[in-house]
Amino acid sequence: FLVREIWPEVRRRHPNLRLRLVGRGDQFIRHLIPSDAAGIEVTGPIEDALGEIVQADVVIAPLRIGSGTRLKIIEAWAASRAVIATPLAAEGLAARDGENIRLAPDAPSFAAAIGELLRDPALCQRLGTGGHAAFESRYSWNAAWKTLDLAAQLTTESGLNGYTERT
């Protein structure tokens, strides 16, 4: 989807742009990249994912299938990077289109969103700041501890002492 439908249009509009596919799983995707696809780099395993994310102008998550935790988006938010994702990629997260992420449901809108963010550094900054705020309030260790403290307080106040008996 990314290489065949999104990237050719992005590359046509931004011929010097590089697409970096970062991380493990490279052995599963290298064969999917056409030999004539320009500007695509597959890194394979890396030492510092956050360091790679910080270097990106825009982080993309063009998932169309899958499940599980969307850690790459959360990592990008932690690094205050602008994110473009399909609605499925952001499913279950505190994603707000135009506030902390740009949602793009199909290839034409995804390519357009990449171009939009590349042309508008202020929008990139705003989405990165919004994403970082979402990270701090929902996904950071401090947020997790506050949630656990609240749950413990509610449990204590209700007299449940951490468990309930079934009759």
Side-chain angles (χ1 to χ4, degrees):
F1 176 60
L2 172 60
V3 171
R4 296 193 196 293
E5 297 181 40
I6 298 170
W7 185 244
E9 180 60 24
V10 171
R11 184 74 175 179
R12 186 181 68 72
R13 294 180 187 178
H14 306 277
N16 295 323
L17 192 64
R18 266 184 329 141
L19 173 63
R20 296 196 66 210
L21 304 174
V22 178
R24 294 179 308 190
D26 56 306
Q27 69 272 22
F28 301 112
I29 61 170
R30 286 186 193 275
H31 74 280
L32 299 174
I33 300 171
S35 59
D36 63 343
I40 299 176
E41 176 186 352
V42 181
T43 68
I46 55 166
E47 289 286 323
D48 179 17
L50 193 56
E52 292 286 333
I53 290 169
V54 167
Q55 293 180 43
D57 293 325
V58 176
V59 175
I60 60 173
L63 298 179
R64 294 191 306 166
I65 59 173
S67 61
T69 307
R70 308 312 200 230
L71 293 178
K72 294 301 178 204
I73 293 174
I74 294 171
E75 288 173 331
W77 282 351
S80 300
R81 307 318 296 161
V83 176
I84 304 168
T86 57
L88 177 68
E91 191 172 77
L93 297 177
R96 306 273 186 274
D97 189 26
E99 183 180 317
N100 58 21
I101 197 166
R102 174 65 76 216
L103 295 177
D106 54 38
S109 61
F110 213 102
I114 291 172
E116 176 188 24
L117 267 64
L118 292 175
R119 287 186 306 275
D120 191 346
L123 177 58
C124 275
Q125 178 70 35
R126 190 171 70 246
L127 291 176
T129 300
H132 191 78
F135 168 76
E136 287 293 335
S137 69
R138 301 285 294 270
Y139 307 107
S140 68
W141 280 112
N142 284 337
W145 285 119
K146 286 178 186 175
T147 300
L148 289 172
D149 287 344
L150 179 60
Q153 179 183 354
L154 292 173
T155 301
T156 301
E157 289 173 1
S158 66
L160 296 177
N161 295 324
Y163 69 93
T164 58
E165 286 187 36
R166 293 179 185 240
T167 55

